Amino acid sequence: MMRPTPPQPKGEPLFGNARQYADDPFRFLTACERSYGDVVSLDLGPLETYLLTDPDEIQRVLVADADSYVKPDFQDDAIGDLLGEGLLLSEGDTWQRQRDLANPAFAMARLGQFTDTIAGHAEAMVNEWRDGDSRDIELEMTQVTLDVICDLMLDVELTDSQRETIRENLGPIGARFEPDPIRFITPDWVPTPDNREYQAAIDELDRVVSEIVAERRGTEGHEDDEDPPMDVLSILLRAQNRGEQTSKQLRDEVVTMLLAGHDTTALTLTYSWYLLANHPEVERAVQAEADAVEGPVTFEAVRELDLIERVIQESMRLYPPVYVIFRQPTRDVELGGYRVPKGASVMLPQWAVHRSPDFWDEPDQFDPDRWLDQGDRPRFAYFPFGGGPRHCIGKHLAMLEAQVILATVAREFSLDTDREGELDLLPSLTAHPRGGMPMTLRRR
């Protein structure tokens, strides 16, 4: 027998819980998880919304019953304008076809070929650094991970102008997705200043994408070639040559690759540097592990970077770049003993679950050693890359990239910060440190 409606935090007229969520989604999600149980009903706008924090139920949504859920229909929203029907948003046969096309580019067998390229980009960045410099490490990590994804998955080297155009427009694009209770009740087609600035940023991004595609067209090889290029863009161009890919699909996938392909890894590294700067004993151990690698950081060497891997895992636990994901049931379902109707919005909050005292000892503390023994912790007490058939296609590349970059930098520099304690975060599609991450470089 299903229980009645789940508990709901007290809201306010017109806005419901939207203003509480918009003011500080991280604090709000944590408070809901700790105060109301596994399923919480929220009033965030036109859709019924249910916050789900039980790892076993999250696993049902993402894995066991994945066929009964879709990603919310964003095609008429701002994010649909940005990513279209790329891998992040597409559904059904479209998603399966695009996923099958892209899978070979991310195959485990190719990862070993990526390490030298990643290390090369990291070394090029470090060679520009000077002892005593003050740098925005979020920007530095954004630039190096953007260069890596363009090299490995698009087989292009961005010009300084293209890199600057992308950087300048990431701000307006990110700002469009910061929680705003007024925006919850304002249609996306209304020509507000924010909407106009956002559309102008997309237009600029599209211009860069058009240049990238034009540069690569004719270099993608053919299926009959003995060893055709296997980067994502080459695969998509060959599919277009077969009549299996429209120009719009090509554009959507390249934009998705550009943005999603670098942002989360850049943020993971940014938070890792912040946490290491505030825990010098762990930083020294990381440096010792990196120093033990002779020569460039190879694929074989990465397998020995045990502490560095745990630091990255712990960084993604405390500061998951994607802090909440959404699903919509395609039929009435039962979650935690409650009926959740077809078409409702189900929130799965990495932020709250990753910091729940139900699953983590001293959950707000940075402790890479907690990963040495995971005990009987539920599988989905930790899900930075999602899970099930829609898990992040680039998760293995992201981990490899983060380890190589962190080790390459740690051999040369310590990074200092004046910030301490819990970071003030800017919520958008991903969680960014408010004001960037200014740090001082200390050559070892």
Side-chain angles (χ1 to χ4, degrees), residues 169 172-173 194-206:
N169 289 285
I173 287 172
D194 282 352
N195 283 350
R196 288 197 298 268
E197 186 176 13
Y198 176 68
Q199 190 56 56
I202 292 179
D203 291 344
E204 283 295 289
L205 193 62
D206 282 347

Side-chain angles (χ1 to χ4, degrees), residues 106 108 111 385 391-401:
F106 293 92
M108 291 295 293
L111 286 185
F385 296 109
H391 72 268
C392 174
I393 192 173
K395 66 179 183 180
H396 297 299
L397 171 58
M399 284 299 299
L400 175 69
E401 184 179 354

